[in-house]
C-alpha cells in the first residue's frame, strides 16, 4: 500500500514537473516569437512585399542600383575594419602587459580598462565630442564629427575586449617553449611570431570577429558623433524612417544590415575554426616587467591614458565650464530647462526619471525571461529531442545580439505598433524592446552559474521526496540568487543606456535620457552642448552605480557541514 502511494506521488510529481517546464517553455517561445521573431520578420517582409501583400522586389532593385547605397555599405565596412584593427593594435600589447607581466599598479591599470564596460555608448560619444571639439584638448586634430572620431570611440570600447580574451589565454601558455627558442638564438620578435602568435591566433580571431560585429552595429556612437560622411546602414534606416517616412526603403536597408551582420558572424566562425590549434596550457604565469617590455608598456599606457581616461576626464571637466569659469550651471539647467530652441518638452531630470522607470520595467521583464530560459537550457535532458531543443533555444536566444537594435526598434514599429498604434503610443513597447536587446547578455550571465549545479543534487533531493518546486528553490535557488544581482545590474545598465531601438519607439513627451542627449547635440547652442555634457555625466554615473551595485549583491552560498 505504501509503495503504491509512493509510486502515485512520484507519478504526480513527474506530471507536475512536465506541466511546469512545458508552461515555462511555451511562455519563453511566445515571448521570443512576439517580441523578436515577429518584428524582425515583419521588417524583412516589408522590403519584399507590396501594399497588397504580393511579392515585389523592386525596392531591393532600386536600393541596390543606387550608388549611394554602396557608398554607405563601404563607409560602414571601412569604420568597422578600422575600429577592429585599432582595437587589435592596442589590445594585444595590453593583453601582454596586463595578463602576462607583474608589476606594481597592474591591478589598477586592469581596472581602468574595464571602464568602457560600464558606460553607455551615448556617454562615450559625448565624451569624444568634448575631447575632439574645437574647444577640446585635441581639437587641433580636426577630427570632430569625422569618421576618425567614430573609429577612436570604437577603439575605446573594444581595447579591453581584445585584452581580456587574448590575455586570458596568453597567461596560461607554457613559457618553456619560448624560452627554448630564445636559448637557441631566436630573437624576441621571431619567438613571438613563430611560437606565441600561432597559439594566440584562435583567441585573436574570435575576439576580433566579435569586435567587428560590435563596430558594424555602433549606431548610437555614430549618431552621437554627428553621423559623419554618408553615414552607416543603421543611420540610413533612421533617416528613411524619420525624415522621408519611406518605411519600405528603410526595410531594405535593415535587411542589408541583417545580411551584413550574419555574414560577419559566419566569417568569424570560419576563421576561428580554421585557426584552432592544440595548446599546452597551465596555471596563469606572470613574469616581472623588464626593460625589453618598453614597447608594449608604452602602447598600453598610451591606450589607457589617451584613449580611455582622457575622454572621460575631458567630459567631466567640460561639463563644469560656464561663462564665468567653472560651476554647476549646466547641471542646474538639467532641472529647469528643456534646452534652447525647443518649444516645451521634457527636462533632462524628467528624461532621467523616465529612463529609470523604463529601465526598471525592462529589467523585470528581462530577468523573468532570462531566468526561465537559463533554467530550461541547463536542465539535464535525457531524451535526444529535448537535448536538441535545448541547443536550438541556446542558439536562438543569441540572435538578438547579432541583430542591430535599430533593426529591432524598426521591427517593433512596423509590426506591433502598426497593428496596435495605441499600444505603441502608450510607451509599453520601449521596455519590451530594451528587454529583447539585453536578454542575450543576461542569459549568458546566468547559464554558466546554473550549469555548474551538479544534476545529482537535484536527483538526490527528488529521491528523498522533495517536490519539483522545492528542488528548484533549495538546489538551484541559491546559485540563481548569487548570479541574479550581476544580471539585474547588467540588464538595468544596458536598458538605461539603450538608444538604437528606443530612438524609434520613445514618444516626444516621454523621452529617455540617451534620446534627450542626442536631441540636444543635434540643436546648436552653447547651453544645449553644455547640458548634453552634464546629462552624459549623470547618465554615466547612474549606469555605473547600477552595474557595480548589482555585482556586489551576491548572497553567499551555505557550506555543507
Amino acid at each position: 500500500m505504501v509503495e503504491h502511494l509512493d509510486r502515485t506521488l512520484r507519478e504526480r510529481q513527474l506530471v507536475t514537473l512536465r506541466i511546469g517546464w512545458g508552461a515555462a517553455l511555451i511562455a519563453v517561445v511566445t515571448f521570443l516569437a512576439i517580441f523578436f521573431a515577429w518584428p524582425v520578420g515583419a521588417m524583412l517582409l516589408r522590403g519584399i512585399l507590396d501594399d497588397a501583400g504580393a511579392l515585389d522586389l523592386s525596392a531591393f532593385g532600386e536600393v541596390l542600383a543606387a550608388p549611394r547605397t554602396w557608398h554607405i555599405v563601404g563607409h560602414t565596412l571601412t569604420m568597422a575594419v578600422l575600429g577592429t584593427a585599432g582595437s587589435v593594435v592596442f589590445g594585444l600589447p595590453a593583453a601582454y602587459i596586463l595578463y602576462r607581466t607583474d608589476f606594481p599598479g597592474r591591478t589598477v591599470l586592469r581596472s581602468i580598462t574595464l571602464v568602457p564596460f560600464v558606460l553607455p555608448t551615448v556617454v562615450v560619444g559625448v565624451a569624444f565630442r568634448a575631447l575632439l571639439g574645437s574647444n577640446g584638448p585635441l581639437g587641433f586634430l580636426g577630427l570632430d564629427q569625422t569618421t576618425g572620431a567614430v573609429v577612436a570611440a570604437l577603439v575605446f570600447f573594444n581595447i579591453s575586449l581584445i585584452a581580456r580574451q587574448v590575455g586570458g589565454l596568453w597567461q596560461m601558455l607554457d613559457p618553456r617553449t619560448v624560452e627554448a627558442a630564445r636559448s637557441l638564438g631566436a630573437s624576441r620578435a621571431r619567438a613571438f611570431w613563430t611560437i606565441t602568435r600561432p597559439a594566440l591566433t584562435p583567441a585573436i580571431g574570435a575576439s576580433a570577429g566579435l569586435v567587428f560585429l560590435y563596430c558594424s552595429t555602433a549606431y548610437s556612437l555614430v549618431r552621437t558623433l554627428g553621423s559623419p560622411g554618408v553615414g552607416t546602414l543603421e543611420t540610413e534606416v533612421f533617416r528613411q524612417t524619420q525624415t522621408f517616412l519611406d518605411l519600405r526603403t528603410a526595410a531594405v536597408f535593415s535587411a542589408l544590415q541583417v545580411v551584413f551582420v550574419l555574414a560577419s558572424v559566419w566569417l568569424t566562425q570560419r576563421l576561428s575554426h580554421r585557426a584552432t590549434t592544440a595548446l599546452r596550457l597551465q596555471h596563469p604565469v606572470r613574469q616581472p616587467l623588464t626593460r625589453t617590455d618598453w614597447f608594449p608598456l608604452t602602447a598600453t599606457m598610451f591606450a589607457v591614458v589617451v584613449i580611455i581616461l582622457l575622454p572621460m576626464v575631458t567630459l567631466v571637466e567640460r561639463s563644469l565650464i560656464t561663462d564665468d569659469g567653472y560651476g554647476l550651471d549646466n547641471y542646474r539647467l538639467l532641472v529647469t530647462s528643456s534646452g534652447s530652441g525647443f518649444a516645451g518638452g521634457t527636462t533632462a531630470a524628467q528624461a532621467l526619471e523616465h529612463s529609470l522607470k523604463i529601465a526598471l520595467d525592462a529589467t523585470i521583464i528581462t530577468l523573468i525571461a532570462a531566468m526561465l530560459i537559463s533554467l530550461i537550457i541547463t536542465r539535464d535532458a535525457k531524451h535526444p529531442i529535448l537535448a536538441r531543443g535545448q541547443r536550438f533555444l541556446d542558439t536562438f536566444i543569441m540572435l538578438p545580439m547579432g541583430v542591430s537594435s535599430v533593426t529591432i526598434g524598426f521591427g517593433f514599429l512596423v509590426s506591433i505598433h502598426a497593428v496596435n498604434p495605441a499600444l505603441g503610443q502608450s510607451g509599453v513597447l520601449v521596455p519590451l524592446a530594451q528587454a529583447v536587446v539585453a536578454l542575450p547578455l543576461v542569459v549568458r550571465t546566468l547559464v554558466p552559474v546554473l550549469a555548474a549545479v551538479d544534476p545529482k543534487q537535484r536527483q538526490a533531493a527528488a529521491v528523498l521526496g522533495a517536490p519539483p518546486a522545492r528542488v528548484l528553490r533549495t538546489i538551484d535557488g541559491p546559485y540563481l540568487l548569487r548570479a541574479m544581482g550581476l544580471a539585474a545590474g547588467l540588464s538595468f545598465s544596458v536598458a538605461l543606456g539603450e538608444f538604437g531601438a528606443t530612438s524609434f519607439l520613445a514618444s516626444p513627451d516621454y523621452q529617455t535620457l540617451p534620446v534627450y542627449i542626442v536631441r540636444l547635440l543635434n540643436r546648436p547652442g552653447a547651453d544645449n552642448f553644455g547640458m548634453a555634457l552634464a546629462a552624459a555625466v549623470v547618465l554615466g554615473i547612474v549606469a555605473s552605480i547600477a552595474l557595480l551595485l548589482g555585482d556586489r549583491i551576491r548572497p553567499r552560498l551555505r557550506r555543507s557541514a
Side-chain angles (χ1 to χ4, degrees):
M1 183 68 179
V2 175
E3 294 180 358
H4 176 70
L5 291 176
D6 289 341
R7 185 167 57 254
T8 303
L9 180 60
R10 286 195 297 270
E11 290 176 353
R12 289 180 178 177
Q13 290 180 353
L14 183 59
V15 172
T16 302
L17 182 64
R18 289 175 177 174
I19 293 175
W21 288 119
L25 181 60
I26 292 173
V28 166
V29 172
T30 302
F31 177 83
L32 294 175
I34 295 177
F35 300 112
F36 177 68
W38 180 25
V40 174
M43 178 275 300
L44 295 174
L45 289 176
R46 189 92 184 192
I48 62 176
L49 301 179
D50 59 18
D51 296 335
L55 181 64
D56 183 5
L57 300 178
S58 60
F60 270 92
E62 294 173 0
V63 171
L64 295 178
R68 175 181 168 80
T69 299
W70 298 107
H71 291 159
I72 293 173
V73 171
H75 193 231
T76 303
L77 181 62
T78 298
M79 288 197 300
V81 170
L82 292 177
T84 303
S87 301
V88 172
V89 166
F90 287 104
L92 289 181
Y96 173 77
I97 293 296
L98 300 178
Y99 289 86
R100 190 69 176 184
T101 65
D102 195 12
F103 57 92
R106 182 183 63 86
T107 303
V108 175
L109 284 180
R110 282 181 61 171
S111 299
I112 293 175
T113 61
L114 296 178
V115 169
F117 283 95
V118 300
L119 292 177
T121 52
V122 169
V123 174
V124 176
V126 176
F128 274 86
R129 286 284 290 270
L131 176 68
L132 301 174
S134 57
N135 296 323
L138 300 183
F140 64 91
L141 296 176
L143 294 177
D144 186 30
Q145 300 186 55
T146 65
T147 300
V150 177
V151 172
L154 293 174
V155 174
F156 169 94
F157 265 112
N158 295 299
I159 286 177
S160 53
L161 192 153
I162 298 289
R164 290 182 69 183
Q165 289 198 273
V166 177
L169 176 62
W170 203 336
Q171 68 180 349
M172 293 189 294
L173 293 180
D174 190 344
R176 290 175 295 182
T177 308
V178 174
E179 293 171 357
R182 294 296 306 276
S183 65
L184 293 175
S187 65
R188 187 176 183 182
R190 184 175 181 182
F192 170 80
W193 188 255
T194 58
I195 298 174
T196 305
R197 181 197 58 81
L200 295 178
T201 296
I204 296 173
S207 57
L210 190 58
V211 169
F212 182 84
L213 179 62
Y214 290 157
C215 291
S216 61
T217 56
Y219 169 71
S220 54
L221 270 183
V222 177
R223 282 289 309 277
T224 309
L225 290 170
S227 299
V230 293
T232 64
L233 290 170
E234 293 176 308
T235 60
E236 189 64 17
V237 173
F238 184 85
R239 177 172 173 267
Q240 294 292 335
T241 303
Q242 302 295 328
T243 304
F244 300 109
L245 301 179
D246 189 348
L247 299 183
R248 195 169 184 211
T249 300
V252 174
F253 277 101
S254 291
L256 291 177
Q257 172 69 17
V258 172
V259 172
F260 190 83
V261 170
L262 293 179
S264 65
V265 171
W266 176 82
L267 181 59
T268 299
Q269 292 178 340
R270 293 280 295 179
L271 292 176
S272 300
H273 177 72
R274 290 183 178 182
T276 301
T277 58
L279 304 177
R280 295 178 59 187
L281 303 179
Q282 59 180 30
H283 293 293
V285 175
R286 299 188 185 93
Q287 57 194 26
L289 199 64
T290 64
R291 292 182 178 179
T292 57
D293 295 324
W294 68 269
F295 178 76
L297 180 61
T298 301
T300 301
M301 293 304 300
F302 178 85
V304 169
V305 174
V306 178
I307 300 179
I308 296 178
L309 282 181
L310 187 57
M312 295 298 100
V313 173
T314 303
L315 172 63
V316 176
E317 187 264 339
R318 294 291 163 177
S319 71
L320 296 172
I321 292 180
T322 66
D323 294 336
D324 301 322
Y326 289 99
L328 298 176
D329 291 355
N330 291 325
Y331 291 88
R332 294 190 186 98
L333 289 174
L334 299 182
V335 180
T336 60
S337 174
S338 60
S340 59
F342 298 98
T346 59
T347 64
Q350 292 170 329
L352 176 60
E353 180 183 357
H354 300 162
S355 292
L356 293 174
K357 291 179 179 178
I358 293 172
L360 180 59
D361 293 339
T363 299
I364 294 174
I365 297 170
T366 304
L367 290 180
I368 293 174
M371 182 178 62
L372 292 177
I373 293 171
S374 302
L375 288 171
I376 293 173
I377 290 175
T378 55
R379 292 301 91 183
D380 186 21
K382 298 180 179 179
H383 198 283
I385 295 179
L386 295 178
R388 285 195 293 269
Q390 284 180 318
R391 290 193 294 269
F392 172 78
L393 181 60
D394 192 18
T395 302
F396 184 78
I397 192 58
M398 298 307 296
L399 290 179
M401 183 178 291
V403 176
S404 168
S405 61
V406 172
T407 298
I408 294 174
F410 180 60
F412 268 69
L413 194 66
V414 299
S415 58
I416 305 174
H417 188 283
V419 172
N420 192 338
L423 183 65
Q425 295 171 1
S426 67
V428 174
L429 298 184
V430 177
L432 288 169
Q434 292 180 352
V436 172
V437 173
L439 187 57
L441 297 175
V442 177
V443 169
R444 291 272 72 84
T445 302
L446 297 179
V447 165
V449 177
L450 291 176
V453 180
D454 189 350
K456 294 180 181 179
Q457 297 182 17
R458 304 188 188 105
Q459 297 170 4
V463 169
L464 293 174
R470 186 173 181 181
V471 173
L472 182 63
R473 184 177 69 253
T474 58
I475 304 300
D476 296 281
Y479 291 90
L480 191 61
L481 287 176
R482 185 169 175 80
M484 195 61 75
L486 178 59
L490 179 62
S491 176
F492 189 88
S493 180
V494 170
L496 189 68
E498 205 287 319
F499 175 76
T502 307
S503 63
F504 283 84
L505 302 173
S507 61
D509 56 347
Y510 204 78
Q511 296 182 17
T512 63
L513 192 54
V515 174
Y516 180 86
I517 291 172
V518 175
R519 173 174 171 261
L520 288 174
L521 290 175
N522 290 334
R523 182 64 65 92
D527 286 346
N528 289 342
F529 188 68
M531 290 172 62
L533 296 175
V537 173
V538 172
L539 179 61
I541 292 174
V542 174
S544 301
I545 291 175
L547 188 57
L548 295 177
L549 286 179
D551 188 35
R552 293 185 65 86
I553 301 175
R554 293 188 178 186
R556 293 183 179 179
L557 297 176
R558 295 181 181 178
R559 294 183 180 179
S560 57

